[in-house]
């Protein structure tokens, strides 16, 4: 290393010499040689040699001048060379260690850069997420504000409703107190009315005893014919339209089997004191039959819906039909034309009856939970009675002032038709009442229920005086109609197996079982002259029994 340094030093010294001192001599020689080129080459060579000698002298002089400095500089360089070598080795070792550290740091830097990029990407995602969350938060705050406003509004509404509820409750309590007071008053009136009825019954019994005594005296005096014209103390006059007392025969034989309607026959009814039978079915006309021959007399058109019940005035001039179309239809029997269409019910009309003495007043019951009183001459409703349980059957009393109604809750109710007040109520059945029929003398009323029980009530006391049932007798519908014979001795009711049972009221036993039809029996009707008995089934067949 010292040798290379010396050579470099002397090289630089020679260059400086040539540049400073020798450069002017050379230039002068070159100029003289260029001036004498054309004359003599030798002179040129001498000039060059002189220039070289001048250079050597200058070199020697400069070397002598720089020698002490060179020797002084050379000695410390040589002595320090080993130290520098050791330092160099140490520095090289340190440099290698630095390189290694740098390599490790580079690797760590690469890892940290990658992690930094990952963190930056995650940071960006989180910033986006934060933005979305801030938007959701703002929307949630707005929704919360809106809900708070709605809550405040509904709270005000709730407070108003609570106040109204308190007011309604106070009114309800007041009305309840009034109702309880009215109920107690009504109960007192009913008790008084029942007491009056019992007194009337006692007076009637006394009158009956007196009548029997008089009848015995009349028989003794040979006036038996006059006595037979008296029933319940009323003399019957042989006029057109009046009832005639006859004994009913126990039916046992099917006289005619008539296919009256398609899809079922839900209602049948005999004319007063006649063998003429009316039948009503599904979505068709009401038909009129001669039961002697089993032939059809005429059809009464103009009705809508299914016919659920029929009634006829005592003069046999007007026929009234209750329909599932919410209407009642009134026909003139002779002409076959519709006289009135009575509208006012809002649900199907399931029952109808007409006054026994007046051809003017008709009552009907519908599934809108109302009983309506109609005036046939005017053709509109004159009174409406409201109740809570649907009514399936109704029947007017003999005097036409009260009406019996059978309901879905199994109760029999008695109403004042003029005032609409409930006079009495009896829980006669455990299931729905399907039929209500009044005896000819008005002293008994027959009810049939879906509990397959037939009860006979005393109309004067509303006490059960007979209960009729049979093991195979099951009613087929909520409008299965039973009937009482004209002499008030027998009850006939159909069953779901197509059988008709006939009971004796006085003995309470079955006196006849009629089996001709195969489908469920829907209704029975007994002719006012004692025979025949008619039954209609779900297939639309009607059988007459004698």
């Amino acid at each position: 290393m010292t040798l290379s340094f010396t050579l470099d030093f002397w090289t630089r010294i020679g260059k400086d010499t040539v540049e400073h001192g020798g450069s002017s001599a050379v230039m002068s020689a070159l100029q003289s040689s260029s001036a004498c080129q054309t004359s003599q080459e030798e002179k040129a060579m001498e000039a060059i040699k002189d220039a070289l000698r001048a250079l050597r002298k200058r070199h020697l002089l400069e070397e002598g001048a720089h020698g002490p400095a060179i020797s002084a500089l050379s000695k410390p360089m040589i002595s320090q060379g080993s130290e520098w070598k050791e330092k160099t080795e140490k520095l090289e070792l340190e440099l290698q260690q630095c390189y290694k550290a740098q390599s490790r740091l580079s690797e760590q830097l690469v890892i940290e850069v990658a992690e930094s990029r990952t963190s930056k990407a995650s940071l960006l995602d989180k910033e986006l997420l934060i933005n979305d969350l801030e938007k959701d938060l703002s929307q949630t705050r707005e929704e919360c504000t809106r809900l708070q406003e709605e809550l405040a509004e509904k709270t005000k509404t709730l407070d108003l409703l609570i106040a109204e509820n308190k007011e309604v409750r106070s009114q309800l309590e007041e009305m309840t107190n009034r109702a309880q007071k009215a109920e107690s008053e009504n109960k007192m009136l009913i008790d008084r009315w029942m007491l009056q009825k019992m007194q009337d019954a006692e007076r009637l019994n006394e009158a009956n005893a007196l009548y029997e005594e008089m009848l015995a005296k009349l028989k003794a005096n040979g006036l038996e014919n006059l006595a037979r014209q008296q029933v319940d103390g009323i003399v019957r006059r042989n006029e057109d339209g009046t009832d005639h007392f006859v004994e009913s025969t126990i039916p046992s034989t099917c006289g005619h089997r008539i296919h009256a309607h398609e899809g079922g026959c839900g209602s049948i009814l005999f004319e007063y004191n006649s063998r003429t039978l009316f039948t009503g079915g599904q979505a068709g006309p009401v038909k009129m039959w001669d039961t002697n021959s089993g032939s059809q007399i005429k059809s009464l058109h103009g009705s809508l819906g299914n016919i659920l019940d029929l009634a006829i005035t005592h003069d046999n001039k007007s026929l009234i039909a209750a329909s599932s179309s919410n209407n009642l239809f009134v026909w003139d029997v002779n002409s076959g034309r519709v006289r009135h269409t009575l509208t006012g019910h809002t649900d199907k009309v399931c029952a109808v009856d007409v006054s026994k003495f007046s051809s003017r007043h008709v009552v009907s019951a519908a599934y809108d939970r109302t009983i309506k009183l109609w005036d046939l001459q005017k053709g509109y409703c004159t009174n409406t009675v409201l109740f809570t349980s649907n009514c399936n059957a109704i029947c007017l009393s003999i005097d036409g002032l009260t009406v019996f109604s059978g309901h879905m809750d199994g109760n029999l109710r008695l109403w004042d038709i003029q005032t609409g007040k409930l006079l009495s109520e009896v829980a006669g059945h455990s299931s729905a009442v399907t039929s209500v029929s009044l005896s000819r003398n008005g002293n008994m009323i027959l009810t049939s229920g879906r509990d397959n029980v037939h009860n006979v009530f005393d109309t004067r006391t509303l006490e059960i005086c007979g209960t009729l049932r049979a093991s195979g007798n099951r009613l087929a519908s909520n409008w299965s109609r039973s009937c009482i014979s004209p002499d008030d001795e027998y009850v006939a009711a159909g069953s779901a197996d197509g059988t008709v049972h006939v009971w004796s009221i006085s003995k309470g036993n079955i006196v006849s079982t009629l089996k001709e039809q195969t489908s469920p029996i829907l209704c029975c009707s007994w002719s006012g002259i004692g025979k025949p008995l008619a039954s209609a089934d779900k297939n639309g067949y009607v059988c007459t029994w004698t």
Side-chain angles (χ1 to χ4, degrees), residues 418-431:
Q418 298 296 330
T419 63
K421 291 184 178 180
L422 178 65
L423 301 178
S424 184
E425 183 176 2
V426 180
H429 297 269
S430 60
S431 296

Side-chain angles (χ1 to χ4, degrees), residues 93-154:
L93 181 60
E94 291 178 358
L95 182 60
Q96 291 177 359
Q97 292 177 354
C98 289
Y99 286 155
K100 292 180 181 179
Q102 183 180 7
S103 176
R104 289 194 299 270
L105 292 174
S106 298
E107 293 176 355
Q108 186 176 359
L109 180 62
V110 170
I111 294 171
E112 291 181 353
V113 168
E115 291 178 352
S116 175
R117 290 177 178 174
T118 304
S119 299
K120 187 175 181 180
S122 176
L123 181 61
L124 292 175
D125 294 337
K126 289 182 179 179
E127 287 179 352
L128 294 176
L129 180 60
I130 288 172
N131 292 332
D132 295 337
L133 290 175
E134 287 179 351
K135 292 181 181 178
D136 294 341
L137 179 60
S138 62
Q139 293 178 356
T140 305
R141 286 177 177 172
E142 293 176 356
E143 183 70 17
C144 182
T145 303
R146 185 180 62 82
L147 291 176
Q148 287 178 349
E149 293 176 354
E150 291 182 358
L151 178 60
E153 182 179 357
K154 291 184 177 179

Side-chain angles (χ1 to χ4, degrees), residues 270-277 291 316 526-529 531-532:
F270 278 99
E271 279 188 339
Y272 277 98
N273 305 321
S274 171
R275 289 176 175 266
T276 301
L277 179 69
T291 57
N316 293 330
W526 217 308
S527 172
I529 60 176
K531 62 179 181 180

Side-chain angles (χ1 to χ4, degrees), residues 1 49 83 112 124 133 161 167 170 179 181 227 258 260 286 328 372 399-400 425 430 442 446 460 466 503 506 531 539:
M1 183 176 179
K49 289 178 181 181
E83 296 178 1
E112 291 181 353
L124 292 175
L133 290 175
L161 290 176
E167 184 178 357
S170 62
K181 184 177 179 181
I258 305 168
V286 175
L328 291 110
K372 290 184 178 292
D399 56 11
E425 183 176 2
S430 60
L446 170 69
R460 293 165 293 188
W503 289 268
S506 59
K531 62 179 181 180
N539 287 339

